[in-house]
Amino acid sequence: MNSVYIVKGNIIYTSRPAEFSVIPNGYVIVRNGCIAYCGESIPSEYEAYPVEDYGDNLIIPGFVDTHAHAPQFCNRGLGMDKELLPWLETYTFPEEAKFSDLEYAKTVYSAFVNELWRYGTTRSILFGTIHKESTLLLMKLLSEAGLSAFVGKVNMDRNSPDYLIEDTERSLHDTRVWLEEAQQFGPLVRPIVTPRFVPSCTSRLMSGLGDLAVEYNVPIQSHLSENHGEIDWVHSLHPDSSSYTDVYCEHRLMGTVPTVMAHCIHLSDEEMERMHETKTMVAHCPYSNVNLSSGIAPIRKLLNHGISIALGSDISGGHDISMAKVLTEAVGLSKMKWAEVDKSYAPLTLPEAFYMATRGGGQFFGDVGSFETGYEFDALVIDDHELFDPNERSIEERLERWLYIGDDRHIVGRYVAGKSLDTPPMAIV
Ligand code: GUN
Ligand code: FE
């Protein structure tokens, strides 16, 4: 492929957390899926190429959701009366068990993929279930939809119900077979090793998965330090480890390949240091942390430790798949941390949260989430004119209003790695 096209509109993105970069009536030149140029006018050598003129609309990077459970899609908005451990037992595990049935998986995963498309989540890092076949089906559906994702077959071999548990050796064997089969989907849809969390994985399983991740050179995702009951449980299961974080490090699940850990709400200073040393990314999931009464993650403190932070919907601990809403909730929750807990935790600014939802999470995928030269062209076209406002607004203000009060109806164009995705995936299936 050697294709070049030009996109024109009001361009706004974050190359760094401190501020938005804004180019009114600007141009992005896309060559072979990547950005060759982004600026105010078309360089002369590109003048002959076709221009997609989006007029007064906003052009922003596609959203990156770094933590969501695809099989929990139908549980959104259910079971918000419990904390993590009883919530898993009562609502989550029974739902996930249904994904041994490929027909059920197809119905739910098709709807889930459609919803990612609808809300402009061009890249995501997903949990499937313990079931290899339905996890491969999820990868196939994402691939057909043109969306990009890391997808994990979940591993669970202890402290889990009879109907959702694996034999240790079988779990490792299935994971190896799945890692082989998952190569077929190419660069946009890739596997990620996914021990559910320490309480549901034996030491033998965790070490085996750490080795598989290195052998196949694939990243790792899991949950870390979400809830006090969970943390106490980890300490009682691993009394010789100095912390929850240490358990992952001891089993080579942190510090080898790129790793993303969801939540990280209650880490000690030493654990934050380990996160930084091992370059582990945090997937901050504000809606989930509120819904399951997990706590308010100390995002400013994690940032001050030099830890990369991205954002996650955590469907269905979180109820909203929209990363626009997740990022505004991250701002809101950080204000509550400042107001109610510690005045030294400066609230997140909007550009900081937008950065986390685009370029921050995008780093896990390579050069993704920004309009800098060389980045893959993932973009959304936002027509905000329906959001009634007779006043003159800056492009930053228009983006802020859309993030807070707009929705998927205003997303009128989507691009992933340079490919325009015009039709909803369900129309294709
Ligand atoms: N910890 C282990 N499993 C889960 C899950 O499915 N959701 C959340 N939020 N935390 C978990
Ligand atoms: Fe989760």
Side-chain angles (χ1 to χ4, degrees):
M1 177 174 71
N2 184 19
S3 76
V4 177
Y5 61 87
I6 302 171
V7 171
K8 179 172 190 284
N10 291 312
I11 294 160
I12 178 163
Y13 64 100
T14 40
S15 59
R16 55 200 193 95
E19 61 185 3
F20 286 113
S21 298
V22 183
I23 311 171
N25 297 311
Y27 299 86
V28 184
I29 299 178
V30 183
R31 189 204 290 131
N32 297 336
C34 291
I35 295 165
Y37 166 91
C38 177
E40 288 169 6
S41 56
I42 305 177
S44 54
E45 68 264 37
Y46 289 108
E47 270 166 4
Y49 290 103
V51 179
E52 298 236 24
D53 188 347
Y54 288 109
D56 193 38
N57 291 340
L58 308 178
I59 300 179
I60 68 172
F63 288 123
V64 183
D65 185 345
T66 59
H67 185 74
H69 299 259
Q72 298 174 20
F73 184 61
C74 298
N75 274 2
R76 282 169 308 147
L78 288 178
M80 306 272 85
D81 57 333
K82 296 199 177 344
E83 288 188 48
L84 175 66
L85 300 175
W87 173 81
L88 287 171
E89 293 280 339
T90 313
Y91 300 104
T92 309
F93 292 157
E95 182 62 19
E96 289 194 15
K98 296 176 190 167
F99 288 74
S100 61
D101 175 353
L102 269 181
E103 275 309 303
Y104 187 76
K106 186 170 183 193
T107 307
V108 177
Y109 284 159
S110 300
F112 173 77
V113 168
N114 205 58
E115 206 81 340
L116 288 179
W117 177 89
R118 226 153 64 86
Y119 283 90
T121 302
T122 49
R123 308 258 170 176
S124 51
I125 308 180
L126 304 173
F127 275 55
T129 58
I130 61 172
H131 312 100
K132 174 167 76 66
E133 298 306 328
S134 60
T135 304
L136 286 167
L137 176 64
L138 173 59
M139 298 178 90
K140 177 168 175 277
L141 293 168
L142 286 157
S143 185
E144 286 171 359
L147 295 172
S148 179
F150 283 103
V151 181
K153 182 210 112 47
V154 173
N155 300 87
M156 310 166 67
D157 74 336
R158 68 168 166 180
N159 300 315
S160 303
D162 294 347
Y163 58 81
L164 192 70
I165 191 165
E166 302 167 292
D167 165 76
T168 307
E169 297 311 315
R170 183 68 203 262
S171 179
L172 288 169
H173 172 78
D174 277 2
T175 303
R176 179 181 289 282
V177 173
W178 165 74
L179 284 167
E180 295 283 344
E181 292 183 22
Q183 306 299 322
Q184 65 184 284
F185 300 108
L188 288 184
V189 177
R190 287 176 273 174
I192 181 166
V193 166
T194 305
R196 181 171 209 120
F197 67 158
V198 168
S200 53
C201 300
T202 59
S203 275
R204 159 85 190 122
L205 180 59
M206 286 193 280
S207 303
L209 291 173
D211 292 344
L212 278 175
V214 170
E215 183 183 337
Y216 284 85
N217 193 25
V218 295
I220 295 171
Q221 65 176 344
S222 194
H223 297 93
L224 173 60
S225 199
E226 177 176 5
N227 166 285
H228 289 297
E230 170 212 22
I231 296 164
D232 292 346
W233 196 13
V234 171
H235 287 154
S236 69
L237 291 166
H238 296 270
D240 296 333
S241 302
S242 60
S243 66
Y244 194 163
T245 302
D246 234 36
V247 179
Y248 285 127
C249 292
E250 285 162 5
H251 294 90
R252 301 182 292 283
L253 290 167
M254 280 173 56
T256 56
V257 293
T259 300
V260 56
M261 288 287 168
H263 308 301
C264 302
I265 303 174
H266 308 289
L267 297 179
S268 66
D269 286 355
E270 293 77 55
E271 288 181 283
M272 289 188 198
E273 269 314 302
R274 290 310 286 278
M275 295 286 293
H276 177 241
E277 281 161 23
T278 56
K279 297 190 171 62
T280 304
M281 176 182 272
V282 171
H284 172 45
C285 305
Y287 277 128
S288 172
N289 299 164
V290 169
N291 288 337
L292 299 178
S293 309
S294 301
I296 310 178
I299 297 304
R300 182 62 61 198
K301 192 169 176 190
L302 293 165
L303 285 172
N304 290 342
H305 272 81
I307 299 166
S308 301
I309 316 271
L311 297 177
S313 66
D314 195 22
I315 298 300
S316 66
H319 57 279
D320 200 331
I321 205 167
S322 160
M323 290 309 293
K325 295 297 173 278
V326 169
L327 86 85
T328 56
E329 182 71 1
V331 172
L333 201 54
S334 73
K335 291 173 181 167
M336 292 302 98
K337 190 82 172 174
W338 171 83
E340 293 287 333
V341 183
D342 190 332
K343 286 284 192 289
S344 71
Y345 292 130
L348 291 178
T349 64
L350 193 70
E352 282 181 307
F354 189 84
Y355 179 92
M356 290 174 185
T358 53
R359 196 180 188 276
Q363 285 172 10
F364 211 78
F365 291 80
D367 288 337
V368 167
S370 177
F371 293 147
E372 292 153 77
T373 304
Y375 273 62
E376 294 185 56
F377 186 60
D378 285 20
L380 306 176
V381 183
I382 311 294
D383 181 350
D384 61 336
H385 295 97
E386 237 192 21
L387 301 176
F388 176 75
D389 188 351
N391 303 287
E392 273 293 311
R393 300 288 182 200
S394 68
I395 289 166
E396 286 100 318
E397 287 172 329
R398 284 173 57 191
L399 176 62
E400 181 176 15
R401 282 184 95 238
W402 177 71
L403 291 169
Y404 275 93
I405 66 171
D407 58 48
D408 61 298
R409 290 170 300 178
H410 311 118
I411 305 178
V412 297
R414 297 157 179 85
Y415 293 83
V416 178
K419 186 161 179 251
S420 171
L421 306 180
D422 294 328
T423 19
M426 288 279 254
I428 304 168
V429 173

